[in-house]
Amino acid sequence: MKKNKIIVTGGLGYIGSHTAVELSEKFAVVIVDDLSNSTIDVLDGINKISKSKPLFEKLDLKNKDDVKSLFKRHNDAIGLIHFAAYKAVGESVENPLKYYENNLSSLIYILQEIDKLNHSFNLIFSSSCTVYGQAENLPITEEETIKKAESPYGNTKQISEEILFDYSKINSNLNIISLRYFNPIGAHQSSSIGELPIGVPQNLIPFITQTAAGIHEKITVFGDDYNTPDGTCIRDYIHVVDLAKAHIAAIENLIQSKNESNYDVYNIGTGKGTSVLEVIHSFMKSTEVKINYVIGNRRNGDIESAYADNSKAIKKLNWSPKYSIDDAITSAWKWERKIRKL
Ligand code: UD1
C-alpha cells in the first residue's frame, strides 16, 4: 500500500532527525532543511536506520518562492511537521531580528501554502515549555498561564502558537497540534544520529558528555541557591526517541481527527523533575566516568523548576515515554564517544 506523505522541516536537526526515522516506519517522509544548523551527514545516519529512505530537499523556508515550489512538488502530502527554527536563547537576545524573521516568516509562508490546498491537512508545530516561563503550579499543565517570554526565542514560540490558533479558526480543513517539549536529551540507540551542538554547548547534557570526553576540564553548575531540595534547578529530561514518537502519535491523532477543535496543545515530557546535580551524578553512576564540576553563579534567565504534567498526551494521544533518564544519559554518552572516536 502506498504510504501517506509527510513533510518534515528541519528534518536534519536534533529532534527532526529522530522524528524522521520514527515516521519512516509508517509514512513517506520528505525532509526539508537549509543546513544552517546541521550537516548533510545526518541524512546518511537517518538513511542507515530508517525503514524507508526519506527524500531530502535543501531549501530555505525564509524564501517564499521556495516554500511555494515545495508545496507544488508535494501537493499529495497530507501533513507537515515544522521543526525548522533557530533555538539558541542567548543568540536570540543578541540578534532578535534574525529570530523573528526566520522563525515567524517560515511559519507564515507554510500557512499561506496550506491555505491554497483544497484537501484536509495536518500540521504539528514544535513548541517549547519555554512558553510557560516560571510556572506558578508544578507539574505544569497545558492550562498554566502563559507569561511574557524571557527571550526573543521564547517569544517566537508564543507568537507562533498565537498565529496557529488564530489561523485555525478560519481554516477548518487544517488540523493543528502544538507540542510543548520539555528538555530533550539522548540519542538514537544505534548512535547513527544524535545531538550535534555547534560551538560550545549551552545545554546541560552535551556539556556533560563533552566534559567526559575531555573537551572541557569541568562543568559549571549554574547556581545551587535555588529553592529546590539540593539548590540546583529542576528540569524534565525526556529521551529524544520518546519525544520523536510523540510526533507520530500526534499526527495519527490528527489523521483520525477525533478532536473537538482543530487546534490543540500538548506537553511532552516525562512528568519527572531532575536537578542539575542529580543529572551529573546519574551520568557518573551510569557511565562510570568521572567528571569535574564546580558550583558557579546563576545563569541569567534560568527558571527554578519546570516539569510536565503529561497526562493529557498520555490520555488523548495514546503516547507515553518509555525510556528512563539513565537510558537517555547512556545513549548521549554512547553518541559522544562515537562522534569523538573514543
Ligand atoms: C534551554 C532554554 C530553553 C530551550 C531549551 C532548548 C534557556 C534559559 N532555556 O532550556 O528555552 O527551549 O534550552 O534545548 O537557555 N546548566 C548548568 N550548566 C551548564 C548548562 C546548563 O548548570 O553548563 C543547567 C541550567 O542552568 C539549567 C539546566 O542545566 O538549570 C538545563 O539547562 P539547559 O540544558 O540549557 O536547558 P534549559 O535551560 O531548561
Side-chain angles (χ1 to χ4, degrees), residues 87 89 128 130 153 183-184 202-205 207 219-222 233-235 237 276 299-303:
K87 60 171 186 180
V89 176
S128 165
T130 195
Y153 157 75
N183 289 55
Q202 308 298 310
N203 296 114
L204 181 62
I205 296 295
F207 204 97
I219 176 161
T220 302
V221 174
F222 296 142
C233 292
I234 290 177
R235 296 287 183 275
Y237 297 94
V276 177
R299 177 171 73 178
N300 260 346
D302 260 345
I303 53 165

Side-chain angles (χ1 to χ4, degrees), residues 59-115:
L59 196 140
D60 181 359
L61 299 164
K62 290 194 295 300
N63 184 324
K64 200 170 179 160
D65 290 334
D66 280 5
V67 181
K68 268 189 193 161
S69 65
L70 172 76
F71 273 81
K72 272 212 185 86
R73 278 193 299 284
H74 301 292
N75 57 9
D76 54 340
I78 62 149
L80 182 146
I81 306 184
H82 186 41
F83 292 104
Y86 296 149
K87 60 171 186 180
V89 176
E91 187 192 33
S92 80
V93 176
E94 304 287 316
N95 198 346
L97 296 183
K98 176 176 172 182
Y99 275 67
Y100 287 117
E101 182 194 29
N102 185 57
N103 294 7
L104 300 180
S105 64
S106 58
L107 178 66
I108 291 169
Y109 297 156
I110 287 168
L111 291 176
Q112 285 173 335
E113 294 314 306
I114 291 174
D115 199 61

Side-chain angles (χ1 to χ4, degrees), residues 150-186:
E150 293 275 351
S151 69
Y153 157 75
N155 206 20
T156 66
K157 294 295 174 194
Q158 289 187 357
I159 297 170
S160 295
E161 285 198 14
E162 285 170 3
I163 291 172
L164 289 166
F165 176 70
D166 290 344
Y167 179 67
S168 71
K169 289 194 204 152
I170 58 132
N171 186 348
S172 57
N173 262 340
L174 177 62
N175 300 306
I176 309 171
I177 285 180
S178 289
L179 296 179
R180 293 177 179 159
Y181 312 149
F182 282 67
N183 289 55
I185 61 166

Side-chain angles (χ1 to χ4, degrees), residues 24 52 58 126 188 209 213 232 234 242 251 271 314 325 333:
S24 70
S52 57
K58 182 174 183 295
S126 285
H188 193 267
T209 54
T232 65
I234 290 177
D242 275 331
I251 201 100
I314 290 175
I325 187 161
W333 178 228

Side-chain angles (χ1 to χ4, degrees), residues 298-311:
R298 290 182 176 200
R299 177 171 73 178
N300 260 346
D302 260 345
I303 53 165
E304 190 166 272
S305 288
Y307 52 96
D309 179 328
N310 58 6
S311 52

